[in-house]
Amino acid sequence: MNKQLAPIGIFDSGYGGLTVLKKIVEVLPAYDYLYLGDNARAPYGTRSFETVYRYTLDCVKWFFAQGCPLVILACNTASAKALRSIQQQDLASLAPSNRVLGVIRPTTEMIGTVTRSGKVGILATKGTVSSGSYPIEIEKFYPGLAVYQEACPMWVPLVENNEHAGPGADYFVKKHLDSILAKDHSIDTVLLACTHYPLLLEKIRQFLPDGIQVISQGEIVANSLFNYLQRHPEMEQRLSKTGSRSFCTTDDIADFEQHASLFYGTTIKAEKITLT
Ligand code: DGL
């Protein structure tokens, strides 16, 4: 590989970002991708701002040390709690020509185009909900849109423990869907604002009334990255294109490989890394 060129970094606290990576490689297959799941410190969704920021920054530094000029935080919690600080405070001293992008902005840019009632529900981790990032960002693009949020703290553990398709998941999926719809019965669009939630899609559809659309972020983020690379040739030219995919975790490799295939759709080989 040309030493000047490097893969796109894709980051999540654990496995969820693989649902985003899967869509990104469908849209942009030629590029090389380096995935990192910070499984040893996941979940992030219940942690404080300070902790999520510190953990995410460690991982961004690791990507930069691997040479990645562009890192996507394929994690809503990290995007909500760490992205702005990294972009505004850290990037200038770390690597001013590198870029770190998140998943919230591209999603909020399009959400107003798909709702007919003007009422949308955001399903997310506690951390993303308490950050207020979605209502704040949506207000910028679509003032007047009614945004209702629901924290679903059990959904990530259900997915992480491979219980998302089992009967135990029914109770918690229904509980949070009922709760968000009770906030306004004319919500016609719900956004899965956590990259783990697409694995619960079948159950979510099962417990939602007909006519309510469910939006996952993978495709939105992939299309947004496509557009970004078209608008930023200076970044595009720094990216390697041999079609390689590498997977790293901060925790046990065997667990990661077994679990990751659920999220990514095919078996993968992983490498364990240590963050300094
Ligand atoms: N996948 C992460 C997100 O999109 C949440 C998982 C976690 O809590 O670590 O918010």
Side-chain angles (χ1 to χ4, degrees):
M1 195 190 297
N2 184 332
K3 278 212 175 100
Q4 311 291 307
L5 305 180
I8 298 173
I10 309 283
F11 168 72
D12 183 52
S13 57
Y15 304 107
L18 291 163
T19 61
V20 176
L21 176 61
K22 189 175 166 202
K23 293 293 175 189
I24 291 178
V25 300
E26 280 171 26
V27 173
L28 296 161
Y31 294 91
D32 296 334
Y33 296 95
L34 174 58
Y35 184 88
L36 175 63
D38 189 9
N39 299 79
R41 302 188 294 188
Y44 280 17
T46 45
R47 298 194 193 277
S48 68
F49 261 87
E50 171 51 33
T51 303
V52 173
Y53 163 64
R54 190 159 40 83
Y55 286 1
T56 306
L57 183 60
D58 290 343
C59 295
V60 166
K61 285 181 181 166
W62 178 83
F63 278 112
F64 288 175
Q66 311 312 303
C68 298
L70 177 63
V71 178
I72 313 290
L73 304 184
C75 173
N76 286 273
T77 311
S79 300
K81 291 186 158 186
L83 180 62
R84 183 177 299 223
S85 304
I86 292 174
Q87 285 174 334
Q88 295 180 356
Q89 291 167 29
D90 303 297
L91 210 51
S93 58
L94 286 175
S97 66
N98 286 3
R99 289 292 171 267
V100 182
L101 306 175
V103 289
I104 295 179
R105 179 75 183 256
T107 315
T108 54
E109 269 176 18
M110 65 73 66
I111 195 80
T113 64
V114 293
T115 169
R116 291 171 310 276
S117 68
K119 296 180 178 186
V120 301
I122 308 292
L123 301 164
T125 64
K126 269 188 179 166
T128 299
V129 167
S130 68
S131 75
S133 297
Y134 273 97
I136 293 166
E137 289 298 315
I138 290 174
E139 169 73 15
K140 289 183 194 157
F141 293 105
Y142 304 103
L145 203 82
V147 182
Y148 301 93
Q149 301 196 93
E150 173 76 10
C152 313
M154 289 303 289
W155 288 16
V156 167
L158 283 169
V159 172
E160 290 274 324
N161 291 293
N162 205 4
E163 290 291 343
H164 52 282
D170 290 13
Y171 172 81
F172 288 106
V173 169
K174 185 169 180 326
K175 174 182 168 169
H176 292 299
L177 294 178
D178 288 351
S179 169
I180 198 162
L181 293 180
K183 292 173 187 172
D184 191 322
H185 288 287
S186 43
I187 290 174
D188 70 350
T189 305
V190 294
L191 171 68
L192 307 187
C194 170
T195 53
H196 279 66
Y197 295 176
L199 271 90
L200 287 160
L201 192 56
E202 214 171 291
K203 286 233 186 276
I204 291 169
R205 288 233 166 90
Q206 185 187 327
F207 290 112
L208 265 187
D210 290 342
I212 298 185
Q213 16 173 18
V214 184
I215 310 288
S216 299
Q217 295 175 299
E219 210 169 304
I220 299 168
V221 174
N223 291 330
S224 165
L225 179 58
F226 179 92
N227 291 331
Y228 176 86
L229 294 177
Q230 293 217 314
R231 283 184 282 113
H232 294 277
E234 77 292 351
M235 174 57 75
E236 203 282 333
Q237 284 152 18
R238 295 170 67 190
L239 302 171
S240 53
K241 299 182 197 75
T242 66
S244 79
R245 289 89 178 87
S246 307
F247 300 88
C248 294
T249 174
T250 52
D251 209 345
D252 186 72
I253 297 177
D255 264 6
F256 185 84
E257 289 178 348
Q258 190 195 9
H259 223 91
S261 57
L262 259 178
F263 288 77
Y264 192 59
T266 58
T267 53
I268 60 141
K269 281 269 155 241
E271 191 183 321
K272 181 172 178 176
I273 62 110
T274 307
L275 296 165
T276 47

